[in-house]
Amino acid sequence: MSLDRIKAGLRAQRIETPSWAYANSGTRFKVFPQPGVPRDPFEKVADAAVVHRLTGIAPTVSLHIPWDLVDDWTKLREFAQEQSVALGAINANVFQDEDYKLGSVTHPDPRVRRKATDHLLDCVDVMDATGSQDIKLWFSDGTNYPGQDDMRSRQDRLAEALAEVYRRLGGDQRMLLEYKLFEPAFYATDVPDWGTAYAHCLELGPKAQVVIDTGHHAPGTNIEFIVAFLLRQRKLGAFDFNSRFYADDDLMAGAADPFQLFRIMYEIVRGGALDPAYGITFMLDQCHNIEAKIPAILRSVLNIQEATAKALLVDRDVLGAAQQSGDVLAANAALMDAFNTDVRPMLAQLRADDGRDPDPIAAYHRSGYFERISADRTGGVQAGWGA
Amino acid sequence: MSLDRIKAGLRAQRIETPSWAYANSGTRFKVFPQPGVPRDPFEKVADAAVVHRLTGIAPTVSLHIPWDLVDDWTKLREFAQEQSVALGAINANVFQDEDYKLGSVTHPDPRVRRKATDHLLDCVDVMDATGSQDIKLWFSDGTNYPGQDDMRSRQDRLAEALAEVYRRLGGDQRMLLEYKLFEPAFYATDVPDWGTAYAHCLELGPKAQVVIDTGHHAPGTNIEFIVAFLLRQRKLGAFDFNSRFYADDDLMAGAADPFQLFRIMYEIVRGGALDPAYGITFMLDQCHNIEAKIPAILRSVLNIQEATAKALLVDRDVLGAAQQSGDVLAANAALMDAFNTDVRPMLAQLRADDGRDPDPIAAYHRSGYFERISADRTGGVQAGWGA
Amino acid sequence: MSLDRIKAGLRAQRIETPSWAYANSGTRFKVFPQPGVPRDPFEKVADAAVVHRLTGIAPTVSLHIPWDLVDDWTKLREFAQEQSVALGAINANVFQDEDYKLGSVTHPDPRVRRKATDHLLDCVDVMDATGSQDIKLWFSDGTNYPGQDDMRSRQDRLAEALAEVYRRLGGDQRMLLEYKLFEPAFYATDVPDWGTAYAHCLELGPKAQVVIDTGHHAPGTNIEFIVAFLLRQRKLGAFDFNSRFYADDDLMAGAADPFQLFRIMYEIVRGGALDPAYGITFMLDQCHNIEAKIPAILRSVLNIQEATAKALLVDRDVLGAAQQSGDVLAANAALMDAFNTDVRPMLAQLRADDGRDPDPIAAYHRSGYFERISADRTGGVQAGWGA
Amino acid sequence: MSLDRIKAGLRAQRIETPSWAYANSGTRFKVFPQPGVPRDPFEKVADAAVVHRLTGIAPTVSLHIPWDLVDDWTKLREFAQEQSVALGAINANVFQDEDYKLGSVTHPDPRVRRKATDHLLDCVDVMDATGSQDIKLWFSDGTNYPGQDDMRSRQDRLAEALAEVYRRLGGDQRMLLEYKLFEPAFYATDVPDWGTAYAHCLELGPKAQVVIDTGHHAPGTNIEFIVAFLLRQRKLGAFDFNSRFYADDDLMAGAADPFQLFRIMYEIVRGGALDPAYGITFMLDQCHNIEAKIPAILRSVLNIQEATAKALLVDRDVLGAAQQSGDVLAANAALMDAFNTDVRPMLAQLRADDGRDPDPIAAYHRSGYFERISADRTGGVQAGWGA
């Protein structure tokens, strides 16, 4: 690909940051609060806008309901607009009410299922208000012990709830269905793998698509294969990027295995899916438990951008010829040649050309923003996973 | 379930043993030959017949082409009949020809793909000759290095080959598609998981169904969930039973995790799929590298039978009521109560009632069969994975 | 082993329950509170005493500092005694103070290390007051990102802190060192595996011993091997029993893989380590996030007891002869014969002989205890991991 | 580190290639032979010499006994010398004789153990003849089924055999003990993890040291932690480099996770262990099943060299300051900055400065060596794992 086309690809790239990554988070052992953490959705949006201003490729912010509920959606929407960002996907939460101890839409009790499904429908209302196109569904539903509930009946209940929400979607709205191997359910989750999400989406229809959260797989899973396969089936709707060494660690994207991130982005490029017009939403879903929030999100956005630049650098003619001729080492070398290239100078130049600071993280530290929010955001309750 | 219905269920159970499990096998480090190992398909069938005579529930034997090629299929078929067994699924082999180093039906070279697909079509010819209903497809196809080949193009090639074979199937013939996470491919296999196999089968049509090999999953995969899900989708066609602690260890079924085997069989019972009329083929696929072949296969068949008996013992009224009321511990206890029951006396009685020895393994050792084959099968070349 | 010796072994068995398992717990997503949960260490001890009264083999309760801090240890000790239980191991907590965000005894800042070590020394003071023999150390210390801290320097700091605490131990006091693969640290933990704990204990001296938490291993780890190996080295000090399908799920012992629990208990029996005189502390360490606390702990104690009964049932003469002669299948069968036996009738009889209800869980439900604590424990703050 | 010191470090680096990596290898499914493969140890040494001539850092070649047995060791030694390489570690093989089906030095039968130990002693004789300093021990010993043999007795037998061989070592000879999680044993291996190898080496004495094979761990194991820990204990003796996605895949080093290889080499540099004087033997242990042998070994050597160059590039002052101040992101960035650097131009320059071709793989392809060996090595039997 010519450098111009590479730069065009990079300029078109869009990454969505999640409102909750700006808030406090932790493990079951401890949440360590940090200074300057937002206390409401407006402050989260303000932080997201900083990330966009510095990187130029993070123009939207995902919301999580009810954590980000506000009285006046128009006000939040306009506030975002003023900050030059927009509200992105609506993430439903059916895992924190006492009623959901044994499940939400798959719960054996129809009353609980009704309540959960109603929340999902409410989220579509929010979408109407915010202009968001996507409802993103992750279910903590599952069981901790063999026999605890009937796995197959839970699928029936899941299908029923999804169908009801699907019918409620507007013409240009989508349902994005996430899967996860385990946690918080420890024996069986109701949507454990991409196959399950895919089968449900297929039955629902074209507006239902699969979300790949890069931290939600069994050890050894080849994620880029799933990317390639779902692109072929036209059923990949979104990513939740993060990285992991063990489980759903929710570390910064690209931090644990930058080569894997590159391979994923290569499949995206190869499948023609990098362009926003293709329709994939590239989100982060991370927890910055011990590191500073905004710089960690900047780092994650840049890591994805660097992986993308390397993916765009792959000489696909050379690669294709080596593949076709069965030259294993030459084909591998064609890929590695791109990965081993240091793309940071090119990206710095790209930013400079676009009037941005070539080093977004250094610019952030120089900006005084952190000192300002640390000083200003002192009263009230810091946002976290619980609020 | 009443004891009578449990016994009826157990009497109807059918397990297919694989011809190659009677032959020599090993690891990449060493194949340890054993005395008495068959030298041709007839001797393999003879051994399989011993297993059926002693257990009463192993009436068919899977063949592997070309390992089990014979000049005259009628002769083998009649020989099996004389021994009171029948020929079962035909397992294709497109992984041992020099041409298949970089793949068979997914190979970049159309010549190799043609050759591989032709072999699959030949296998359907064999089915016509043997009366086998199922062609079972496992592909070693995959790549060892990132970039080695284009993963998505390989899916296109796979789909094309499968479609051609599917069209060749007779009215009551089926295609059974197996998946496997890794080995011998070490970076990406072309059918790595049930989702991939499911998607292909769905596109092929009703005669294509998924095979679950219990040793082919990533660590932590909940196999009984896949069983339940595929039953719900009506796409589960067969099992390859074996057990594993780490990878595709191919140990005796039930040896590594008897509780998992029980949970799998419970989902089969719960889904009404134990009865042969449902159409699932329950096969073994094992390697007895260091233990005596026939007793190991007997042990495996008995392990599955014991797990099935326990699954049938589950009091589903008690279980269902506990599940419905959200009583986690009572529901789990209902399942465990069956698992903790010692079903061996009941099964011994069942065998005695049917005129069999209550202890098939002891009967085998008393029979002198092993001494006989060890003495008789001395010339020629012992069968193994290569022949 | 004769039935009398089996029963003697079972009567001598001792399992320690953890105070925190009676309290509220959950995942990072949500803690679901339960009715009747204790509000202070006295109520925890009272619940533990119920478990002991019903099972007869749970005479001690582990404490966690600071969660179980009381003003007057003599009062708690005497209260326990009145309830016929005793206070067991003291579990230190150096992971919930703001200062410990980047580590406790391995923190780069010597001030934080001092504070953490002082807490450990305080725990030895508590041991003097409670009469506890063991300080049990689990460190959440580790790093989330490559480069975050110097792994080797952290070992130096760890060794220094352990040595200081070791020197403070009284003549019959022990230090029990736990290891854990990951969580809450997601890149590297400072004591990730038994080898690390073993090496430190060896350098510290005979009073330092390793704790095996059954949920703290990488997938595929053979835990009974570690048991056998540490017994051979005389360095196994304690267990934290629980079960897991994926990570540190902290489910009820024996719930996920009862065969594994049996194999572990077999190595204990084989190593002569079941007798309390041997010195191993058999504890539970579990989280009953969605199931009723006391019945779940009863279930766990009974699961361990059942596994132990099966382990004692192994005919070691038969097993040893088969092993010595290289008869793989006979040796495996000797072990499986014991595992497949239903030991529940024998255990019910044992309880009846000792004047207990043969079914402890049914007896608990009949006792009205849960209704009583649910009604009584209404004011105040329920205990949890945070208090 | 100054560029001069970096270059000095790189010039001093030594990587040992294994004779068997030049020979045919495969999986249990199939060995695909390749043209030009050596037929005897002389031809293997010749190939290894090519790798050294082109890279300048692979001056020794590991031998495997009995695969590399020759009548006249002096002749092989002199042949190597003529080719400017030397004979390296002696790798014992006690896994391919019929007698070793159930183990070698841990076998229940003392006759088999004697035979196996005698082979190990013979290997020390070979060392005396070849001038090799290291005997490298990997045992396939283990069990496939629970109960198959007594795990603890096997440790006693292992310890006894190791002690006998240790006593036989000359003054400057070492015993290098390898561990492996599984394969070919599928239930329990007798040296499954570094802790086991470490404990044995500690009891044996200072001449016994641990080998880390990078493909021999459970999923999720942090290998660089083990490196750092063993360096601290002065018990790391050697590496077997290769890479894996799943199990012991034996792919080219650096192919699966280049970031992990970098982290490992960073711990080596940080521990001062890169210099040959430190005493660590850096070997490859790989199987080039589908790719050309010599270029794959060149690629592996270069991958390790590139990872080492990046490790040397880490600005340890910046890193240390960030670590000490608890700046998680700055510390991580200091490490990543080195990893993200493209070191290939510097390495090409280094080679040019030393009078070598800047691109060893291109030079190999231009050299005509492959065409020559393909033409010349036509009669006889190609070397493989069996011969």
Side-chain angles (χ1 to χ4, degrees):
Chain A
M1 214 178 280
S2 73
L3 191 59
D4 278 356
R5 288 193 56 199
I6 291 171
K7 286 186 172 174
L10 291 166
R11 282 197 173 95
Q13 184 170 30
R14 294 288 171 266
I15 297 168
E16 182 160 317
T17 69
S19 69
W20 55 96
Y22 299 95
N24 286 323
S25 65
T27 67
R28 61 174 169 147
F29 295 98
K30 170 76 177 162
V31 174
F32 293 99
Q34 294 190 14
V37 156
R39 294 157 302 173
D40 60 41
F42 290 86
E43 292 179 350
K44 293 177 190 175
V45 167
D47 289 357
V50 169
V51 171
H52 182 48
R53 266 198 295 280
L54 290 164
T55 63
I57 57 169
T60 56
V61 53
S62 271
L63 301 181
H64 194 111
I65 308 300
W67 298 344
D68 293 325
L69 272 181
V70 293
D71 293 331
D72 184 345
W73 288 111
T74 307
K75 207 171 139 196
L76 185 65
R77 196 176 176 171
E78 289 173 359
F79 176 77
Q81 216 166 345
E82 287 161 23
Q83 305 273 325
S84 305
V85 292
L87 306 179
I90 300 301
N91 294 262
N93 177 322
V94 282
F95 54 88
Q96 291 193 315
D97 189 283
E98 297 298 321
D99 273 336
Y100 300 145
K101 185 162 82 166
L102 303 180
S104 66
V105 294
T106 69
H107 197 287
D109 183 344
R111 182 189 64 79
V112 177
R113 295 203 295 275
R114 186 67 259 150
K115 174 173 173 175
T117 308
D118 283 345
H119 173 75
L120 304 185
L121 296 171
D122 288 349
C123 285
V124 186
D125 291 344
V126 171
M127 291 162 70
D128 292 340
T130 58
S132 303
Q133 279 196 315
D134 298 338
I135 180 167
K136 189 144 69 74
L137 301 177
W138 169 69
F139 296 102
S140 69
D141 292 58
T143 50
N144 275 7
Y145 291 102
Q148 176 186 328
D149 198 5
D150 187 68
M151 289 194 292
R152 187 159 158 182
S153 303
R154 292 175 81 93
Q155 290 300 317
D156 295 335
R157 299 171 199 148
L158 172 64
E160 191 182 331
L162 292 176
E164 184 175 347
V165 178
Y166 189 87
R167 286 191 299 269
R168 165 69 181 80
L169 293 176
D172 58 351
Q173 291 176 335
R174 289 191 304 175
M175 173 188 287
L176 300 176
L177 182 57
E178 200 164 333
Y179 58 90
K180 185 175 184 182
L181 182 68
F182 79 99
E183 197 215 17
F186 292 128
Y187 163 59
T189 59
D190 291 324
V191 192
D193 52 22
W194 76 265
T196 307
Y198 173 75
H200 279 288
C201 287
L202 209 61
E203 285 168 16
L204 288 166
K207 288 191 276 187
Q209 293 190 296
V210 178
V211 182
I212 296 178
D213 183 306
T214 51
H216 286 190
H217 303 85
T221 302
N222 185 322
I223 299 175
E224 59 269 28
F225 175 89
I226 302 174
V227 173
F229 196 89
L230 286 175
L231 287 177
R232 185 178 181 270
Q233 309 296 110
R234 284 271 163 184
K235 273 295 181 194
L236 180 54
F239 278 94
D240 270 8
F241 283 110
N242 51 61
S243 63
R244 57 81 74 92
F245 289 94
Y246 304 98
D248 188 28
D249 307 344
D250 281 334
L251 302 175
M252 300 187 297
D257 189 346
F259 183 41
Q260 183 190 56
L261 181 58
F262 161 74
R263 299 193 309 261
I264 290 172
M265 293 315 299
Y266 173 72
E267 290 303 326
I268 289 294
V269 169
R270 182 258 180 257
L274 183 61
D275 197 284
Y278 187 95
I280 292 180
T281 309
F282 297 90
M283 311 188 205
L284 298 180
D285 183 10
Q286 305 182 157
C287 294
H288 308 298
N289 297 342
I290 59 167
E291 70 271 23
K293 313 282 181 191
I294 296 174
I297 296 169
L298 286 168
R299 179 72 273 156
S300 308
V301 169
L302 299 182
N303 282 349
I304 296 173
Q305 189 183 37
E306 290 172 19
T308 306
K310 292 179 179 197
L312 289 164
L313 270 181
V314 174
D315 188 326
R316 290 179 57 193
D317 292 336
V318 169
L319 177 66
Q323 290 174 339
Q324 193 54 41
S325 69
D327 189 337
V328 175
L329 292 171
N332 176 245
L335 200 77
M336 296 314 292
D337 189 37
F339 178 68
N340 286 324
T341 303
D342 190 345
V343 295
R344 295 173 300 170
M346 176 182 72
L347 290 167
Q349 186 60 49
L350 188 79
R351 287 180 205 112
D353 290 349
D354 293 351
R356 291 180 211 285
D357 193 291
D359 183 342
I361 293 177
Y364 172 75
H365 287 307
R366 278 198 314 272
S367 74
Y369 186 80
F370 176 67
E371 291 72 15
R372 207 150 58 239
I373 57 177
S374 298
D376 290 355
R377 298 175 179 172
T378 45
V381 177
Q382 291 191 322
W385 276 27
Chain B
M1 215 179 277
S2 74
L3 190 59
D4 278 354
R5 289 192 56 199
I6 291 172
K7 286 185 171 174
L10 290 166
R11 282 198 174 95
Q13 185 169 29
R14 295 288 170 265
I15 296 168
E16 184 161 315
T17 70
S19 70
W20 56 95
Y22 300 96
N24 285 324
S25 64
T27 67
R28 60 173 169 150
F29 295 99
K30 170 74 176 163
V31 174
F32 292 100
Q34 294 191 13
V37 156
R39 294 157 303 173
D40 60 40
F42 291 86
E43 292 180 350
K44 293 177 190 174
V45 166
D47 289 358
V50 169
V51 171
H52 182 48
R53 266 199 294 283
L54 289 165
T55 63
I57 56 170
T60 55
V61 53
S62 271
L63 300 181
H64 193 111
I65 307 299
W67 299 344
D68 293 324
L69 271 182
V70 292
D71 293 331
D72 185 344
W73 288 111
T74 308
K75 207 172 137 196
L76 186 65
R77 194 175 178 174
E78 288 173 0
F79 175 76
Q81 216 166 347
E82 285 162 25
Q83 304 273 326
S84 304
V85 291
L87 305 179
I90 300 301
N91 293 261
N93 177 321
V94 282
F95 55 88
Q96 291 193 315
D97 190 284
E98 297 298 320
D99 273 337
Y100 301 145
K101 186 163 81 164
L102 302 181
S104 65
V105 296
T106 68
H107 197 286
D109 183 343
R111 183 190 63 82
V112 177
R113 296 203 294 275
R114 186 67 259 151
K115 175 174 173 173
T117 307
D118 284 343
H119 173 75
L120 304 186
L121 296 171
D122 289 348
C123 285
V124 185
D125 292 344
V126 171
M127 292 163 69
D128 291 341
T130 57
S132 302
Q133 280 195 315
D134 298 337
I135 181 168
K136 187 144 68 75
L137 302 178
W138 170 68
F139 296 102
S140 69
D141 293 58
T143 50
N144 275 7
Y145 291 101
Q148 177 186 326
D149 198 6
D150 186 69
M151 288 194 292
R152 187 158 158 185
S153 302
R154 292 175 81 94
Q155 290 300 316
D156 295 337
R157 301 171 198 148
L158 173 65
E160 191 182 330
L162 292 176
E164 184 176 345
V165 178
Y166 189 88
R167 287 192 298 270
R168 166 66 182 83
L169 294 175
D172 58 351
Q173 290 177 334
R174 291 191 302 176
M175 173 189 287
L176 300 176
L177 183 56
E178 202 164 330
Y179 58 90
K180 185 174 183 182
L181 181 68
F182 79 99
E183 198 216 16
F186 292 129
Y187 163 58
T189 59
D190 291 323
V191 192
D193 53 20
W194 77 264
T196 307
Y198 172 76
H200 280 288
C201 287
L202 208 62
E203 285 169 16
L204 288 165
K207 288 191 276 186
Q209 293 190 295
V210 179
V211 182
I212 296 178
D213 183 307
T214 52
H216 286 190
H217 302 86
T221 303
N222 185 322
I223 299 175
E224 60 268 27
F225 175 89
I226 301 174
V227 173
F229 196 88
L230 285 175
L231 288 177
R232 184 177 182 272
Q233 308 297 107
R234 283 269 163 186
K235 273 294 181 193
L236 180 55
F239 278 93
D240 270 8
F241 283 110
N242 52 60
S243 63
R244 58 83 73 96
F245 288 95
Y246 305 97
D248 188 27
D249 307 344
D250 281 333
L251 302 175
M252 301 186 296
D257 189 346
F259 183 41
Q260 182 190 57
L261 181 57
F262 160 75
R263 299 192 310 261
I264 289 171
M265 294 314 301
Y266 173 72
E267 289 303 326
I268 290 293
V269 168
R270 183 258 181 255
L274 183 62
D275 197 285
Y278 188 96
I280 292 180
T281 308
F282 297 90
M283 310 187 205
L284 298 180
D285 183 9
Q286 305 182 159
C287 293
H288 308 296
N289 297 343
I290 60 165
E291 69 273 24
K293 312 282 181 189
I294 296 174
I297 296 169
L298 286 168
R299 179 72 274 155
S300 307
V301 169
L302 300 182
N303 282 351
I304 296 173
Q305 189 182 36
E306 290 171 20
T308 307
K310 292 180 178 196
L312 288 163
L313 270 181
V314 173
D315 188 327
R316 291 178 56 194
D317 291 337
V318 169
L319 178 65
Q323 289 174 339
Q324 194 52 41
S325 68
D327 188 335
V328 175
L329 292 171
N332 176 246
L335 199 77
M336 297 313 291
D337 190 36
F339 178 69
N340 287 324
T341 302
D342 189 345
V343 295
R344 294 173 301 170
M346 178 183 70
L347 289 168
Q349 187 59 51
L350 188 78
R351 286 179 207 114
D353 290 350
D354 293 351
R356 289 179 213 287
D357 193 292
D359 183 341
I361 292 176
Y364 172 75
H365 287 308
R366 276 197 316 272
S367 73
Y369 186 80
F370 176 67
E371 291 72 15
R372 210 152 50 240
I373 57 176
S374 298
D376 291 354
R377 298 175 179 173
T378 45
V381 177
Q382 292 191 323
W385 277 27
Chain C
M1 215 178 278
S2 73
L3 191 59
D4 277 356
R5 288 191 55 198
I6 292 172
K7 286 186 170 172
L10 290 166
R11 280 197 174 97
Q13 185 170 29
R14 295 287 170 267
I15 296 168
E16 183 160 316
T17 69
S19 69
W20 56 95
Y22 300 95
N24 285 323
S25 64
T27 68
R28 61 175 169 148
F29 295 98
K30 170 75 176 163
V31 174
F32 292 99
Q34 295 191 14
V37 156
R39 295 158 300 174
D40 60 42
F42 291 87
E43 292 180 351
K44 293 177 189 174
V45 166
D47 289 359
V50 169
V51 172
H52 182 48
R53 267 199 295 282
L54 289 164
T55 63
I57 56 169
T60 55
V61 53
S62 272
L63 301 181
H64 193 111
I65 306 301
W67 298 345
D68 293 324
L69 271 181
V70 293
D71 294 331
D72 184 346
W73 288 111
T74 307
K75 205 172 140 196
L76 185 66
R77 194 176 177 171
E78 289 173 359
F79 175 76
Q81 215 167 347
E82 286 162 23
Q83 305 273 324
S84 305
V85 291
L87 305 180
I90 299 302
N91 293 262
N93 178 322
V94 281
F95 54 89
Q96 292 193 314
D97 190 284
E98 296 299 320
D99 273 336
Y100 300 145
K101 186 163 82 165
L102 303 180
S104 65
V105 295
T106 68
H107 197 287
D109 182 343
R111 182 190 63 81
V112 177
R113 295 203 295 274
R114 185 68 258 151
K115 174 174 172 173
T117 307
D118 283 345
H119 172 75
L120 304 185
L121 296 171
D122 289 348
C123 285
V124 185
D125 292 344
V126 171
M127 290 162 71
D128 292 339
T130 58
S132 303
Q133 279 196 315
D134 298 337
I135 181 167
K136 188 143 69 74
L137 302 178
W138 169 68
F139 296 101
S140 70
D141 292 58
T143 51
N144 275 7
Y145 291 101
Q148 176 186 325
D149 198 6
D150 187 68
M151 288 194 293
R152 187 159 158 183
S153 303
R154 291 175 82 94
Q155 290 300 317
D156 296 335
R157 300 170 198 149
L158 173 64
E160 191 182 332
L162 292 177
E164 183 175 348
V165 177
Y166 189 87
R167 287 192 298 270
R168 165 68 181 81
L169 291 176
D172 58 350
Q173 290 177 334
R174 290 192 302 176
M175 173 188 287
L176 301 175
L177 181 57
E178 202 164 331
Y179 58 91
K180 185 175 185 183
L181 182 68
F182 79 99
E183 197 214 18
F186 291 128
Y187 164 59
T189 58
D190 291 323
V191 192
D193 51 22
W194 76 263
T196 308
Y198 173 76
H200 280 287
C201 286
L202 208 62
E203 285 167 17
L204 288 166
K207 288 191 275 186
Q209 293 190 296
V210 179
V211 182
I212 296 177
D213 184 305
T214 52
H216 287 191
H217 302 85
T221 303
N222 184 322
I223 299 176
E224 59 270 26
F225 175 89
I226 302 174
V227 173
F229 196 89
L230 286 175
L231 287 178
R232 184 176 182 273
Q233 308 298 108
R234 284 270 163 185
K235 272 295 180 191
L236 180 55
F239 277 94
D240 270 7
F241 283 110
N242 51 60
S243 64
R244 58 82 74 92
F245 288 95
Y246 304 97
D248 188 27
D249 306 345
D250 281 335
L251 302 176
M252 300 187 298
D257 189 346
F259 183 41
Q260 183 190 57
L261 181 56
F262 161 75
R263 298 193 310 262
I264 290 171
M265 294 314 300
Y266 172 73
E267 290 302 326
I268 289 294
V269 168
R270 182 261 181 254
L274 183 61
D275 197 285
Y278 187 96
I280 292 180
T281 310
F282 298 91
M283 310 189 205
L284 298 181
D285 183 9
Q286 305 182 159
C287 294
H288 308 297
N289 296 343
I290 60 167
E291 69 272 23
K293 312 282 182 192
I294 295 174
I297 296 169
L298 287 168
R299 179 71 273 154
S300 308
V301 169
L302 300 182
N303 282 350
I304 296 173
Q305 189 182 37
E306 290 172 20
T308 307
K310 292 179 178 196
L312 288 164
L313 270 180
V314 173
D315 188 326
R316 291 178 57 194
D317 292 336
V318 169
L319 177 65
Q323 290 174 338
Q324 192 54 40
S325 68
D327 189 336
V328 175
L329 292 171
N332 176 245
L335 200 77
M336 297 312 293
D337 190 37
F339 178 69
N340 286 323
T341 303
D342 189 345
V343 296
R344 294 173 300 170
M346 176 182 72
L347 289 168
Q349 186 59 50
L350 188 78
R351 286 179 206 113
D353 291 348
D354 293 351
R356 290 180 212 285
D357 193 291
D359 184 341
I361 293 177
Y364 172 75
H365 287 308
R366 276 198 315 272
S367 73
Y369 186 80
F370 177 66
E371 292 72 15
R372 209 149 55 239
I373 56 176
S374 298
D376 290 356
R377 298 174 179 174
T378 45
V381 177
Q382 291 191 321
W385 277 27
Chain D
M1 215 178 279
S2 74
L3 190 59
D4 278 354
R5 289 192 55 199
I6 292 173
K7 286 186 170 174
L10 291 166
R11 282 197 173 96
Q13 185 170 30
R14 294 290 170 262
I15 296 169
E16 183 160 316
T17 70
S19 69
W20 56 95
Y22 298 95
N24 285 323
S25 64
T27 68
R28 60 173 170 150
F29 295 99
K30 172 73 176 163
V31 174
F32 292 100
Q34 294 191 13
V37 156
R39 295 158 301 173
D40 59 41
F42 291 85
E43 293 180 350
K44 293 177 189 173
V45 166
D47 289 358
V50 170
V51 172
H52 182 48
R53 266 198 296 281
L54 290 164
T55 62
I57 57 170
T60 56
V61 53
S62 271
L63 301 181
H64 193 111
I65 307 300
W67 299 344
D68 292 325
L69 270 181
V70 292
D71 293 332
D72 184 344
W73 288 111
T74 308
K75 208 172 137 196
L76 185 65
R77 196 175 176 174
E78 288 172 0
F79 176 76
Q81 217 166 345
E82 286 161 24
Q83 305 274 325
S84 304
V85 291
L87 305 180
I90 300 302
N91 294 261
N93 177 322
V94 282
F95 55 89
Q96 291 193 315
D97 189 284
E98 296 299 319
D99 273 337
Y100 301 145
K101 186 163 82 165
L102 303 181
S104 65
V105 296
T106 68
H107 197 287
D109 183 343
R111 182 190 63 80
V112 178
R113 296 202 295 274
R114 185 67 259 151
K115 175 175 173 173
T117 308
D118 283 344
H119 173 75
L120 304 185
L121 296 171
D122 288 348
C123 286
V124 185
D125 292 344
V126 171
M127 292 162 69
D128 292 340
T130 57
S132 302
Q133 280 195 313
D134 297 338
I135 181 167
K136 188 144 69 74
L137 302 177
W138 170 68
F139 296 101
S140 70
D141 293 57
T143 51
N144 275 7
Y145 291 102
Q148 176 186 325
D149 198 6
D150 187 69
M151 289 194 293
R152 186 158 158 184
S153 302
R154 292 175 81 94
Q155 290 300 316
D156 295 336
R157 300 171 199 149
L158 173 64
E160 191 183 330
L162 292 176
E164 185 176 346
V165 178
Y166 189 87
R167 286 192 299 269
R168 165 68 181 80
L169 293 176
D172 58 351
Q173 291 177 334
R174 290 192 303 176
M175 173 188 287
L176 301 175
L177 182 56
E178 201 164 332
Y179 58 90
K180 185 174 183 182
L181 181 69
F182 80 98
E183 197 216 15
F186 292 128
Y187 163 58
T189 59
D190 291 324
V191 192
D193 52 21
W194 77 263
T196 307
Y198 172 75
H200 280 287
C201 287
L202 208 61
E203 286 169 15
L204 287 166
K207 289 191 274 187
Q209 292 189 297
V210 179
V211 182
I212 296 178
D213 183 305
T214 52
H216 287 190
H217 303 85
T221 302
N222 185 322
I223 299 175
E224 59 268 29
F225 175 89
I226 301 174
V227 174
F229 195 88
L230 286 175
L231 287 177
R232 185 178 182 271
Q233 308 297 109
R234 284 271 164 184
K235 273 294 180 194
L236 179 55
F239 277 94
D240 270 8
F241 283 109
N242 52 59
S243 64
R244 57 82 75 93
F245 289 95
Y246 305 97
D248 187 27
D249 306 345
D250 280 334
L251 302 175
M252 300 186 297
D257 189 346
F259 183 40
Q260 183 190 56
L261 181 58
F262 161 74
R263 299 192 309 262
I264 289 171
M265 293 315 301
Y266 173 72
E267 290 302 327
I268 290 294
V269 169
R270 182 259 181 256
L274 183 62
D275 197 284
Y278 187 96
I280 292 181
T281 309
F282 297 90
M283 310 188 206
L284 298 181
D285 183 10
Q286 304 184 158
C287 293
H288 308 297
N289 298 341
I290 60 167
E291 68 272 24
K293 312 283 179 190
I294 296 173
I297 296 168
L298 286 168
R299 179 71 274 154
S300 308
V301 169
L302 300 182
N303 282 349
I304 296 172
Q305 190 182 36
E306 290 172 19
T308 306
K310 292 179 177 195
L312 288 163
L313 271 180
V314 173
D315 188 326
R316 291 178 56 194
D317 291 337
V318 169
L319 177 66
Q323 290 173 338
Q324 194 53 41
S325 69
D327 188 336
V328 174
L329 293 170
N332 176 246
L335 199 77
M336 297 312 293
D337 189 36
F339 178 69
N340 287 324
T341 303
D342 190 345
V343 295
R344 295 173 301 172
M346 175 182 72
L347 290 168
Q349 187 59 51
L350 187 78
R351 286 179 208 115
D353 291 349
D354 293 351
R356 288 177 214 288
D357 194 291
D359 184 342
I361 292 177
Y364 172 75
H365 287 307
R366 278 196 315 270
S367 73
Y369 186 80
F370 177 66
E371 291 72 16
R372 209 151 53 240
I373 57 176
S374 298
D376 291 354
R377 298 175 179 172
T378 46
V381 178
Q382 291 190 323
W385 277 27

